[in-house]
Amino acid sequence: MRKTRLLLCTCLLISWQFANAQLGGSRAFEYLNLPNNARLAALGGINITSGWYDPGQVTSNPAMLNDTLEHQLVISRLGYFADIANTSVTYVTPIKKYGTWAFHLDYLNYGDIQSFDEAGFLNGEFSVNEYAFSVANSQVFGPFRVGANLKVAVSDLATFQASALLLDVGGTFLHPEKDLTVGFVIKNIGFLISDYTEDNNSQLPTDIQLGVSYKPEFMPFRFSVTARNLVRSDVTFFDPSTNSLFGQNEEPGFGEEIFRRLVFGAELIASPNFQLRFGYNHLLRQELKLENASGGAGFSFGFMFKVKRFEFAYSRALYHTVGGSNTLQMNLNLDGVINKN
């Protein structure tokens, strides 16, 4: 009965969220969409069905939280552009009578930025930071698993601050015999606690995502496809005066509208202790490539290897001819250490 009430309340909250969505304004807290672990970054930046034994994936889909992840600590650092860096920490622990829980912290640091007045004189420097703290839990119903991730997000832009209380709701179906996972996530539903200014009307980065991962029985590859931006009616932008400069004279058609919503990933599972990962994000490629050079925009790759209790992962995502981002991650299994104490 308690689970039924919880599900009903969640559905009402989701319905209210989409009923009150507005077309105008701008979306705040977009940093929540950055890939906060090496697996995500290597698989195209979006993936909700791969990584059952990777605690970092809990923030991507809370339904992937399970008891095999208990006592695991994950530390990840994304080196972004212009010395911007995102640091993530995740820890999974059991709580007596309440199941397995995951605690996660994201901290995005833009560094120190110079401040100038209207006349162009230097006023000093100010800092810009954004961060989010979340708590996740999940429940099992046979081959199905559902989970929720409650988070507080804060954006601190010099003298302007905004905060929000957000909820991710996810579900997965894990095939009982085959290596097949189907999942969905409704991300970042909730409400603003405070906005940057009284007159501002910031929107939340709400999204619905669907995904599937499958590993053929006699192949060392796992393939993934994830659909995102499913709450948006249009994900293409076409300005004839601007696009003609890049040789794009025709407005994107229906096929392009579909393809830009999809993110593709593949993992070469050489052994339980070593993997190679690859991803392709068509939306990123179409939006960031140049006419004569793409710089590999939209492609990403990485690897993972384990040594006893430690797991190390690295990924690189290509965005533009000027370069890309690098992500380093370390997973530490504290199960034996915790039990001994």
Side-chain angles (χ1 to χ4, degrees):
M1 185 65 180
R2 180 180 300 177
K3 292 181 179 179
T4 303
R5 290 177 180 176
L6 177 60
L7 181 61
L8 177 60
C9 292
T10 302
C11 292
L12 291 175
L13 176 60
I14 294 170
S15 301
W16 176 87
Q17 180 73 26
F18 291 118
N20 288 274
Q22 298 180 9
L23 297 178
S26 59
R27 303 196 338 167
F29 309 102
E30 282 285 2
Y31 68 94
L32 296 174
N33 292 322
L34 289 176
N36 56 20
N37 64 74
R39 182 188 295 270
L40 269 184
L43 297 179
I46 305 288
N47 189 289
I48 62 172
T49 51
S50 180
W52 279 99
Y53 303 104
D54 188 345
Q57 282 293 88
V58 173
T59 58
S60 180
N61 184 353
M64 300 192 73
L65 178 62
N66 60 87
D67 55 10
T68 65
L69 305 177
E70 291 179 358
H71 302 307
Q72 291 198 43
L73 174 68
V74 180
I75 301 174
S76 180
R77 182 173 177 84
L78 165 65
Y80 214 46
F81 295 94
D83 295 328
I84 299 173
N86 184 53
T87 302
S88 300
V89 179
T90 304
Y91 181 64
V92 181
T93 183
I95 299 178
K96 292 182 179 180
K97 299 181 181 180
Y98 298 101
T100 303
W101 293 76
F103 300 88
H104 178 82
L105 176 65
D106 267 329
Y107 177 71
L108 183 65
N109 181 18
Y110 293 82
D112 293 327
I113 301 175
Q114 291 183 331
S115 174
F116 296 86
D117 61 18
E118 294 83 351
F121 293 101
L122 181 64
N123 277 340
E125 295 182 340
F126 63 91
S127 61
V128 177
N129 304 287
E130 295 181 301
Y131 47 92
F133 176 76
S134 62
V135 179
N137 183 250
S138 67
Q139 300 291 331
V140 182
F141 303 91
F144 298 94
R145 182 180 288 270
V146 295
N149 184 33
L150 182 65
K151 53 191 169 184
V152 177
V154 178
S155 178
D156 188 354
L157 310 180
T159 58
F160 301 95
Q161 293 84 30
S163 58
L165 183 65
L166 304 171
L167 179 70
D168 299 339
V169 179
T172 58
F173 167 75
L174 181 62
H175 196 282
E177 298 178 357
K178 299 180 180 180
D179 192 342
L180 170 67
T181 302
V182 180
F184 82 94
V185 180
I186 304 173
K187 307 195 75 171
N188 300 319
I189 55 177
F191 56 88
L192 289 170
I193 299 175
S194 62
D195 210 341
Y196 296 104
T197 64
E198 293 183 357
D199 299 329
N200 205 37
N201 186 24
S202 297
Q203 292 188 23
L204 301 177
T206 304
D207 193 17
I208 294 180
Q209 300 175 359
L210 301 174
V212 60
S213 293
Y214 177 63
K215 179 187 177 301
E217 184 176 0
F218 300 107
M219 289 183 65
F221 286 95
R222 178 181 293 112
F223 303 98
S224 300
V225 180
T226 308
R228 45 75 180 274
N229 288 326
L230 299 183
V231 297
R232 295 188 177 187
S233 60
D234 186 6
V235 294
T236 61
F237 174 79
F238 182 78
D239 183 351
S241 62
T242 302
N243 288 64
S244 60
L245 299 176
F246 298 95
Q248 301 174 3
N249 299 315
E250 295 184 2
E251 186 174 358
F254 178 76
E256 189 71 16
E257 180 74 36
I258 297 296
F259 204 34
R260 292 193 186 194
R261 300 176 189 269
L262 302 179
V263 178
F264 301 89
E267 299 165 273
L268 171 59
I269 308 172
S271 76
N273 297 322
F274 182 74
Q275 293 182 7
L276 295 176
R277 299 161 176 169
F278 309 91
Y280 177 66
N281 189 319
H282 189 63
L283 177 64
L284 284 180
R285 182 171 181 81
Q286 293 301 101
E287 290 188 339
L288 299 179
K289 71 177 183 178
L290 301 178
E291 179 183 4
N292 299 321
S294 65
F299 289 94
S300 55
F301 57 89
F303 64 86
M304 176 280 292
F305 67 92
K306 293 181 181 180
V307 180
K308 295 184 178 181
R309 294 183 178 274
F310 296 90
E311 177 181 313
F312 301 91
Y314 166 80
S315 65
R316 179 166 177 80
L318 303 176
Y319 290 97
H320 199 268
T321 54
V322 299
S325 65
N326 299 295
T327 304
L328 290 171
Q329 179 176 320
M330 181 185 72
N331 294 17
L332 177 60
N333 190 341
L334 301 175
D335 190 40
V337 177
I338 297 296
N339 291 339
K340 287 182 181 180
N341 293 336

